[in-house]
PDB file of all heavy atoms in Angstrom:
ATOM      1  N   LEU A 437      88.907 100.169 103.604  1.00  0.00           N
ATOM      2  CA  LEU A 437      88.604  98.980 104.406  1.00  0.00           C
ATOM      3  C   LEU A 437      89.804  98.078 104.656  1.00  0.00           C
ATOM      4  O   LEU A 437      89.690  97.061 105.335  1.00  0.00           O
ATOM      5  CB  LEU A 437      87.493  98.166 103.732  1.00  0.00           C
ATOM      6  CG  LEU A 437      86.154  98.891 103.542  1.00  0.00           C
ATOM      7  CD1 LEU A 437      85.181  98.003 102.790  1.00  0.00           C
ATOM      8  CD2 LEU A 437      85.570  99.273 104.895  1.00  0.00           C
ATOM      9  N   GLY A 438      90.958  98.416 104.093  1.00  0.00           N
ATOM     10  CA  GLY A 438      92.139  97.587 104.317  1.00  0.00           C
ATOM     11  C   GLY A 438      92.071  96.254 103.619  1.00  0.00           C
ATOM     12  O   GLY A 438      92.624  95.261 104.094  1.00  0.00           O
ATOM     13  N   VAL A 439      91.376  96.181 102.479  1.00  0.00           N
ATOM     14  CA  VAL A 439      91.292  94.944 101.698  1.00  0.00           C
ATOM     15  C   VAL A 439      91.965  95.188 100.357  1.00  0.00           C
ATOM     16  O   VAL A 439      92.305  96.313 100.005  1.00  0.00           O
ATOM     17  CB  VAL A 439      89.825  94.502 101.492  1.00  0.00           C
ATOM     18  CG1 VAL A 439      89.178  94.192 102.822  1.00  0.00           C
ATOM     19  CG2 VAL A 439      89.031  95.570 100.744  1.00  0.00           C
ATOM     20  N   SER A 440      92.163  94.120  99.581  1.00  0.00           N
ATOM     21  CA  SER A 440      92.861  94.267  98.304  1.00  0.00           C
ATOM     22  C   SER A 440      91.988  94.884  97.225  1.00  0.00           C
ATOM     23  O   SER A 440      92.489  95.387  96.228  1.00  0.00           O
ATOM     24  CB  SER A 440      93.354  92.894  97.825  1.00  0.00           C
ATOM     25  OG  SER A 440      92.253  92.066  97.492  1.00  0.00           O
ATOM     26  N   GLY A 441      90.668  94.854  97.399  1.00  0.00           N
ATOM     27  CA  GLY A 441      89.774  95.361  96.361  1.00  0.00           C
ATOM     28  C   GLY A 441      89.520  94.350  95.259  1.00  0.00           C
ATOM     29  O   GLY A 441      88.784  94.619  94.317  1.00  0.00           O
ATOM     30  N   GLY A 442      90.138  93.177  95.365  1.00  0.00           N
ATOM     31  CA  GLY A 442      90.028  92.167  94.315  1.00  0.00           C
ATOM     32  C   GLY A 442      88.627  91.636  94.111  1.00  0.00           C
ATOM     33  O   GLY A 442      88.274  91.234  92.996  1.00  0.00           O
ATOM     34  N   VAL A 443      87.813  91.631  95.174  1.00  0.00           N
ATOM     35  CA  VAL A 443      86.454  91.106  95.022  1.00  0.00           C
ATOM     36  C   VAL A 443      85.617  91.976  94.095  1.00  0.00           C
ATOM     37  O   VAL A 443      84.582  91.531  93.585  1.00  0.00           O
ATOM     38  CB  VAL A 443      85.732  90.960  96.378  1.00  0.00           C
ATOM     39  CG1 VAL A 443      86.349  89.851  97.198  1.00  0.00           C
ATOM     40  CG2 VAL A 443      85.731  92.264  97.154  1.00  0.00           C
ATOM     41  N   LEU A 444      86.051  93.219  93.863  1.00  0.00           N
ATOM     42  CA  LEU A 444      85.328  94.092  92.939  1.00  0.00           C
ATOM     43  C   LEU A 444      85.857  93.997  91.511  1.00  0.00           C
ATOM     44  O   LEU A 444      85.116  94.234  90.561  1.00  0.00           O
ATOM     45  CB  LEU A 444      85.414  95.557  93.401  1.00  0.00           C
ATOM     46  CG  LEU A 444      84.530  95.984  94.569  1.00  0.00           C
ATOM     47  CD1 LEU A 444      84.803  97.443  94.921  1.00  0.00           C
ATOM     48  CD2 LEU A 444      83.056  95.790  94.236  1.00  0.00           C
ATOM     49  N   ASN A 445      87.136  93.655  91.354  1.00  0.00           N
ATOM     50  CA  ASN A 445      87.748  93.680  90.027  1.00  0.00           C
ATOM     51  C   ASN A 445      87.024  92.823  89.006  1.00  0.00           C
ATOM     52  O   ASN A 445      86.661  93.281  87.925  1.00  0.00           O
ATOM     53  CB  ASN A 445      89.212  93.211  90.116  1.00  0.00           C
ATOM     54  CG  ASN A 445      90.115  94.230  90.760  1.00  0.00           C
ATOM     55  OD1 ASN A 445      89.740  95.391  90.944  1.00  0.00           O
ATOM     56  ND2 ASN A 445      91.310  93.812  91.107  1.00  0.00           N
ATOM     57  N   VAL A 446      86.848  91.541  89.340  1.00  0.00           N
ATOM     58  CA  VAL A 446      86.279  90.597  88.365  1.00  0.00           C
ATOM     59  C   VAL A 446      84.855  90.972  87.960  1.00  0.00           C
ATOM     60  O   VAL A 446      84.565  91.087  86.765  1.00  0.00           O
ATOM     61  CB  VAL A 446      86.348  89.151  88.897  1.00  0.00           C
ATOM     62  CG1 VAL A 446      85.619  88.192  87.950  1.00  0.00           C
ATOM     63  CG2 VAL A 446      87.799  88.716  89.055  1.00  0.00           C
ATOM     64  N   PRO A 447      83.917  91.177  88.902  1.00  0.00           N
ATOM     65  CA  PRO A 447      82.556  91.534  88.472  1.00  0.00           C
ATOM     66  C   PRO A 447      82.476  92.875  87.755  1.00  0.00           C
ATOM     67  O   PRO A 447      81.691  93.020  86.811  1.00  0.00           O
ATOM     68  CB  PRO A 447      81.757  91.554  89.785  1.00  0.00           C
ATOM     69  CG  PRO A 447      82.766  91.690  90.866  1.00  0.00           C
ATOM     70  CD  PRO A 447      83.993  91.005  90.367  1.00  0.00           C
ATOM     71  N   LEU A 448      83.296  93.856  88.154  1.00  0.00           N
ATOM     72  CA  LEU A 448      83.255  95.161  87.478  1.00  0.00           C
ATOM     73  C   LEU A 448      83.928  95.101  86.108  1.00  0.00           C
ATOM     74  O   LEU A 448      83.462  95.733  85.158  1.00  0.00           O
ATOM     75  CB  LEU A 448      83.911  96.236  88.348  1.00  0.00           C
ATOM     76  CG  LEU A 448      83.171  96.586  89.641  1.00  0.00           C
ATOM     77  CD1 LEU A 448      83.870  97.736  90.361  1.00  0.00           C
ATOM     78  CD2 LEU A 448      81.713  96.955  89.367  1.00  0.00           C
ATOM     79  N   PHE A 449      85.024  94.357  85.992  1.00  0.00           N
ATOM     80  CA  PHE A 449      85.640  94.157  84.683  1.00  0.00           C
ATOM     81  C   PHE A 449      84.625  93.541  83.713  1.00  0.00           C
ATOM     82  O   PHE A 449      84.562  93.892  82.534  1.00  0.00           O
ATOM     83  CB  PHE A 449      86.846  93.215  84.784  1.00  0.00           C
ATOM     84  CG  PHE A 449      88.138  93.885  85.169  1.00  0.00           C
ATOM     85  CD1 PHE A 449      89.138  93.162  85.798  1.00  0.00           C
ATOM     86  CD2 PHE A 449      88.368  95.226  84.897  1.00  0.00           C
ATOM     87  CE1 PHE A 449      90.339  93.763  86.158  1.00  0.00           C
ATOM     88  CE2 PHE A 449      89.564  95.839  85.256  1.00  0.00           C
ATOM     89  CZ  PHE A 449      90.554  95.100  85.882  1.00  0.00           C
ATOM     90  N   HIS A 450      83.833  92.623  84.236  1.00  0.00           N
ATOM     91  CA  HIS A 450      82.871  91.904  83.396  1.00  0.00           C
ATOM     92  C   HIS A 450      81.645  92.753  83.065  1.00  0.00           C
ATOM     93  O   HIS A 450      81.260  92.873  81.903  1.00  0.00           O
ATOM     94  CB  HIS A 450      82.442  90.617  84.113  1.00  0.00           C
ATOM     95  CG  HIS A 450      81.482  89.781  83.327  1.00  0.00           C
ATOM     96  ND1 HIS A 450      81.791  89.237  82.103  1.00  0.00           N
ATOM     97  CD2 HIS A 450      80.196  89.398  83.597  1.00  0.00           C
ATOM     98  CE1 HIS A 450      80.741  88.555  81.646  1.00  0.00           C
ATOM     99  NE2 HIS A 450      79.771  88.640  82.536  1.00  0.00           N
ATOM    100  N   THR A 451      81.046  93.357  84.095  1.00  0.00           N
ATOM    101  CA  THR A 451      79.773  94.061  83.882  1.00  0.00           C
ATOM    102  C   THR A 451      79.947  95.457  83.304  1.00  0.00           C
ATOM    103  O   THR A 451      79.112  95.914  82.524  1.00  0.00           O
ATOM    104  CB  THR A 451      78.981  94.161  85.202  1.00  0.00           C
ATOM    105  OG1 THR A 451      79.780  94.818  86.187  1.00  0.00           O
ATOM    106  CG2 THR A 451      78.606  92.781  85.706  1.00  0.00           C
ATOM    107  N   LEU A 452      81.026  96.152  83.668  1.00  0.00           N
ATOM    108  CA  LEU A 452      81.214  97.525  83.186  1.00  0.00           C
ATOM    109  C   LEU A 452      82.123  97.610  81.963  1.00  0.00           C
ATOM    110  O   LEU A 452      81.826  98.334  81.014  1.00  0.00           O
ATOM    111  CB  LEU A 452      81.788  98.408  84.305  1.00  0.00           C
ATOM    112  CG  LEU A 452      80.897  98.656  85.522  1.00  0.00           C
ATOM    113  CD1 LEU A 452      81.575  99.617  86.500  1.00  0.00           C
ATOM    114  CD2 LEU A 452      79.537  99.220  85.108  1.00  0.00           C
ATOM    115  N   ALA A 453      83.241  96.875  81.986  1.00  0.00           N
ATOM    116  CA  ALA A 453      84.201  96.967  80.879  1.00  0.00           C
ATOM    117  C   ALA A 453      83.941  95.940  79.783  1.00  0.00           C
ATOM    118  O   ALA A 453      84.499  96.051  78.688  1.00  0.00           O
ATOM    119  CB  ALA A 453      85.624  96.814  81.405  1.00  0.00           C
ATOM    120  N   GLY A 454      83.103  94.937  80.064  1.00  0.00           N
ATOM    121  CA  GLY A 454      82.733  93.969  79.034  1.00  0.00           C
ATOM    122  C   GLY A 454      83.703  92.828  78.829  1.00  0.00           C
ATOM    123  O   GLY A 454      83.657  92.159  77.789  1.00  0.00           O
ATOM    124  N   LEU A 455      84.586  92.555  79.793  1.00  0.00           N
ATOM    125  CA  LEU A 455      85.521  91.438  79.648  1.00  0.00           C
ATOM    126  C   LEU A 455      84.800  90.115  79.930  1.00  0.00           C
ATOM    127  O   LEU A 455      84.046  90.017  80.897  1.00  0.00           O
ATOM    128  CB  LEU A 455      86.682  91.567  80.636  1.00  0.00           C
ATOM    129  CG  LEU A 455      87.888  92.426  80.248  1.00  0.00           C
ATOM    130  CD1 LEU A 455      87.491  93.885  80.133  1.00  0.00           C
ATOM    131  CD2 LEU A 455      89.005  92.247  81.266  1.00  0.00           C
TER     132      LEU A 455
END
Side-chain angles (χ1 to χ4, degrees):
L437 300 176
V439 297
S440 67
V443 291
L444 283 177
N445 287 347
V446 174
L448 293 184
F449 275 154
H450 182 62
T451 57
L452 294 183
L455 275 66

